[in-house]
Amino acid sequence: MSDRRLAAVILVATGALAGAVVPSTAHAGGGGAFLPPMRVDVGPSVSSIEDAPAGQVVAGIHWASVYPKGKAGFDVGIGIVSTFRGTDDDATATARVTDPMAEADDPLGVFGGYVEVAARTAGNGWWRNWVGMRVESGRAGWDHRSRPYVGLAARVSTEAYLSGAAGGHDGIILGVVAIGAYAEVAGRRIDDLGDDVAASVGLSFRIPLVAVGH
């Protein structure tokens, strides 16, 4: 993955978790901010094609992050998915001693969009479980080449949450704040490389819709 693409993924995830807002101007002389209802997953990932483990970020806008009662029976979301690995600096440095023209290692990484549908399988007023499927499509980078890929992932998660709605003249907060854990297995068909099976576990966060104006 290029440094620019990795920086974009980190910016999306970090901005969401930190409560970054998007400035807007609703009327002359006024301003405000808007944060969409999001779910962000962050964790390590392993692959059948690549020996080295990767980092994975899945971030998107989700229905179950905005539904204010917290008892949504389903979740639908769209967003981005990315896996990324660092280069082997020691190996690269050693190779350049014997071959000054040796290229840096370029391990497997993917970057694409997704659509996900999930069902709530258990829970109460403060925790809930989800089982869902995610369809992916994007580009996979490996050996200094970019290739199209499509994928399908099965995901399970458990999260503790607080839900509600509050609003007034200056803005609203609507939806769910949550933290939990997820586990998933993904199958990806990558042009020229074949089938890759990847698995990931990590932390999952939800952020409600926030709109502020003045």
Side-chain angles (χ1 to χ4, degrees):
M1 170 177 284
S2 68
D3 291 341
R4 182 178 301 175
R5 186 176 296 172
L6 175 57
V9 174
I10 294 174
L11 180 61
V12 169
T14 303
L17 295 178
V21 293
V22 179
S24 63
T25 55
H27 55 276
F34 175 76
L35 177 67
M38 298 187 68
R39 194 197 73 205
V40 180
D41 294 346
V42 181
S45 176
V46 294
S47 162
S48 61
I49 289 179
E50 185 69 58
D51 293 335
Q56 177 171 287
V57 175
V58 180
I61 299 173
H62 280 254
W63 162 248
S65 297
V66 73
Y67 187 69
K69 296 181 179 180
K71 295 184 178 181
F74 68 95
D75 190 17
V76 177
I78 59 173
I80 60 170
V81 55
S82 177
T83 66
F84 45 90
R85 294 170 171 83
T87 58
D88 189 345
D89 294 334
D90 292 338
T92 301
T94 301
R96 288 187 180 276
V97 171
T98 57
D99 182 4
M101 299 303 293
E103 292 185 274
D105 184 31
D106 185 26
L108 177 66
V110 303
F111 185 86
Y114 75 83
V115 176
E116 181 178 305
V117 177
R120 175 176 169 165
T121 58
N124 57 24
W126 65 271
W127 70 272
R128 56 192 184 180
N129 292 341
W130 298 99
V131 176
M133 300 293 293
R134 183 176 74 238
V135 178
E136 306 174 8
S137 180
R139 307 290 295 185
W142 187 78
D143 193 25
H144 306 281
R145 290 183 58 193
S146 177
R147 303 164 172 83
Y149 89 94
V150 293
L152 183 66
R155 179 183 182 274
V156 297
S157 66
T158 299
E159 61 187 16
Y161 70 92
L162 293 173
S163 63
H169 177 73
D170 292 333
I172 63 170
I173 299 175
L174 179 69
V176 170
V177 175
I179 183 171
Y182 77 89
E184 67 177 42
V185 176
R188 298 180 175 115
R189 181 73 175 185
I190 305 173
D191 280 11
D192 299 329
L193 289 180
D195 296 327
D196 181 37
V197 178
S200 177
V201 296
L203 296 177
S204 182
F205 306 88
R206 287 190 188 270
I207 303 156
L209 181 150
V210 179
V212 179
H214 56 271

